[in-house]
């Protein structure tokens, strides 16, 4: 309903703007002014407030992509294994902490750690034999995905400025808190899904990521690092 009101309002504003621009051109022509310049000024005033943020948003997005986005490895898996000998061989995505099991649902199992951390494991069958994925309860706006007994993948998406958002994904050692790898990306796009404010309807913003093209190399590198974590112990 809100979307229909917004689109209706924008359409009405567009019609009113056209009428005002035509009136400004006619006024200028009647009073010996320059109709072209007068019409351009009227158009700039009427449409400028709608798209005023176009240039600064893309400028901020481009700067952040160049300065702060990318993929970083703080500790390789070889280095981690040297610091933790014999541990990698024991890790597996489907080795869940059964000692902390507190509830069994139709296709889920819920585990609660002594520190209060809660893990929900999802299965593809009702017998809980085909493991699918597991997630820890979010911390604020940070999603936390179980990779194995030692590692999690954290993903945080937050507003940076106006409609520019920052995505921060990390591979974290749960025992030490060390970050092994990190992927940072910036987006400046809108979506009608759950749109609840005027800026959500500015569909001309479409800078969804810093990586242009079908092969986002930094995303591929981060996903590859994650896959290497998944394959530990196999």
């Amino acid at each position: 309903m809100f979307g229909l009101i917004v689109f209706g309002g924008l359409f009405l504003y567009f019609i009113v703007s056209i009428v005002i621009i035509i009136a400004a051109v006619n006024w200028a022509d009647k009073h010996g002014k320059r109709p072209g310049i007068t019409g351009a000024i009227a158009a700039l005033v009427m449409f400028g407030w709608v798209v005023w943020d176009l240039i600064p948003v893309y400028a901020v997005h481009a700067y952040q992509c160049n300065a702060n986005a990318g993929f970083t490895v703080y500790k390789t898996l070889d280095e981690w294994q040297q610091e933790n000998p014999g541990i990698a061989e024991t890790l597996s995505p489907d080795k869940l902490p059964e000692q902390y099991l507190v509830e069994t649902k139709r296709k889920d199992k819920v585990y609660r750690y002594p520190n209060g951390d809660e893990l929900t494991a999802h299965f593809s069958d009702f017998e809980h034999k085909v493991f699918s994925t597991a997630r820890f309860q979010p911390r604020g706006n940070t999603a936390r995905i179980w990779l194995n007994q030692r590692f999690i993948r954290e993903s945080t998406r937050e507003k940076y400025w106006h409609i520019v958002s920052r995505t921060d994904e990390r591979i974290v050692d749960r025992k030490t808190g060390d970050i092994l790898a990190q992927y940072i990306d910036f987006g400046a796009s809108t979506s009608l899904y759950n749109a609840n404010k005027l800026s959500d309807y500015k569909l001309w913003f479409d800078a969804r990521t810093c990586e242009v093209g079908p092969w986002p190399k930094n995303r591929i590198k981060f996903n590859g690092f994650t896959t290497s974590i998944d394959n530990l112990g196999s």
Side-chain angles (χ1 to χ4, degrees):
M1 184 63 183
F2 179 74
L4 292 176
I5 294 174
V6 171
F7 279 121
L10 289 175
F11 179 75
L12 180 61
Y13 183 82
F14 176 77
I15 298 300
V16 172
S17 298
I18 295 298
V19 171
I20 291 176
I21 292 170
I22 293 174
V25 170
N26 291 335
W27 177 89
D29 187 50
K30 182 178 179 180
H31 291 81
K33 307 295 182 180
R34 295 182 177 180
I37 295 178
T38 303
I41 293 175
L44 183 63
V45 171
M46 295 305 296
F47 295 117
W49 79 271
V50 179
V51 297
W52 68 269
D53 48 359
L54 187 64
I55 293 177
V57 162
Y58 276 104
V60 169
H61 179 260
Y63 173 79
Q64 291 300 325
C65 285
N66 290 328
N68 297 312
F71 171 67
T72 305
V73 175
Y74 299 103
K75 184 182 296 184
T76 67
L77 281 181
D78 287 340
E79 291 172 335
W80 182 87
Q81 290 182 73
Q82 290 174 7
E83 296 176 359
N84 300 271
I87 301 298
E89 293 77 12
T90 67
L91 302 179
S92 176
D94 56 2
K95 288 184 178 179
L96 298 165
E98 298 298 337
Q99 67 272 31
Y100 300 133
L101 179 66
V102 294
E103 185 179 359
T104 300
K105 301 180 180 179
R106 295 187 68 189
K107 284 192 175 183
D108 297 339
K109 284 186 175 182
V110 180
Y111 304 86
R112 187 171 296 118
Y113 287 78
N115 64 357
D117 234 355
E118 193 169 283
L119 174 70
T120 300
H122 308 285
F123 295 81
S124 301
D125 63 319
F126 295 121
E127 290 76 27
H128 304 110
K129 294 180 179 180
V130 184
F131 172 74
S132 177
T133 60
R135 293 175 177 268
F136 285 95
Q137 63 193 62
R139 286 183 177 172
N141 60 340
T142 299
R144 300 185 298 150
I145 302 173
W146 160 283
L147 298 179
N148 54 43
Q149 306 97 300
R150 191 69 180 258
F151 293 102
I152 61 173
R153 176 174 176 167
E154 294 184 344
S155 180
T156 306
R157 189 173 187 270
E158 57 190 1
K159 179 179 179 180
Y160 178 77
W161 175 78
H162 196 37
I163 68 165
V164 179
S165 62
R166 179 179 185 270
T167 300
D168 183 349
E169 297 190 42
R170 306 176 177 191
I171 303 298
V172 181
D173 183 335
R174 289 189 66 248
K175 183 176 181 179
T176 64
D178 291 344
I179 301 171
L180 272 69
Q182 183 178 33
Y183 172 74
I184 295 179
D185 192 21
F186 290 86
S189 61
T190 58
S191 173
L192 295 182
Y193 180 72
N194 285 337
N196 55 18
K197 56 185 182 298
L198 183 60
S199 61
D200 293 334
Y201 294 87
K202 295 186 175 184
L203 301 180
W204 48 87
F205 287 113
D206 195 32
R208 300 180 183 276
T209 176
C210 292
E211 301 193 85
V212 180
W215 301 102
K217 64 177 183 179
N218 288 318
R219 164 61 69 185
I220 291 173
K221 289 178 181 178
F222 182 78
N223 289 344
F225 196 97
T226 304
T227 300
S228 298
I229 295 286
D230 289 336
N231 292 334
L232 288 175
S234 60

